[in-house]
Amino acid sequence: MDLTLFVVGLMKVVLGGLVAALGIGLSMRGLSRLLDSHPVEELRQGNVASGLVHATSLVSLGLLVQHALKATGDAVDLAVQNPPVSALSVLQLLGLALVHVALSLAVGVAVLALGVRLFDKMTPGIEELAEVRKGNIAAALLLCAFLLVIALLTAPGLQAALNGLIPFPQLPTGVLRAPA
């Protein structure tokens, strides 16, 4: 049994849970403000269209941020597999991981908000957000698909741009290791 691998795995579970609960929750608030929507109020009124759009926003943010968590996990795996590992290097890696995830969330929120605004401008004659607030499920489904496409197509670019922040450990020449 590899106790180190087990502990690292548990840390990844905790980090993923915290990012999902806190990070994406806070990001949803930011996205709601940028889009001038009021999800709690709309959901209390039973607005299914609004519920669909907000649920898709959560999934889209998750798609965008999953790469940040994976890159952080890969860096931790490589650091643990290449001793010596100092407490200072672990703390630095965790600090950079938090910055990495926070930037992923912030950029994700900005990308989704900007995408929705651009989509709204590209479809003259219909204001998708206003229609969603009225409960128009057809407009909500179209906006949901657009949010998912934005997330799927921008996630690799976001991953590549932000991976430069993670200090992947230097491996000895000729050594190739895959993350756990």
Side-chain angles (χ1 to χ4, degrees), residues 3-18:
L3 187 59
T4 303
L5 188 58
F6 178 73
V7 169
V8 168
L10 286 179
M11 287 174 38
K12 288 180 185 181
V13 169
V14 169
L15 180 62
L18 287 173

Side-chain angles (χ1 to χ4, degrees), residues 122-142:
M122 292 181 342
T123 54
I126 184 168
E127 292 182 28
E128 284 80 7
L129 290 173
E131 290 297 318
V132 168
R133 286 185 195 104
K134 293 178 194 174
N136 185 336
I137 292 178
L141 289 173
L142 187 63

Side-chain angles (χ1 to χ4, degrees), residues 158-179:
L158 178 61
Q159 177 186 10
L162 294 178
N163 273 355
L165 297 176
I166 298 292
F168 287 100
Q170 294 297 320
L171 299 177
T173 305
V175 173
L176 180 63
R177 282 207 178 128

Side-chain angles (χ1 to χ4, degrees), residues 30-31 36 47 60 64 83 93 95 114 116 134 145 164 174:
L31 186 60
D36 193 31
N47 187 339
S60 297
L64 289 167
L93 188 58
L114 181 62
V116 168
K134 293 178 194 174

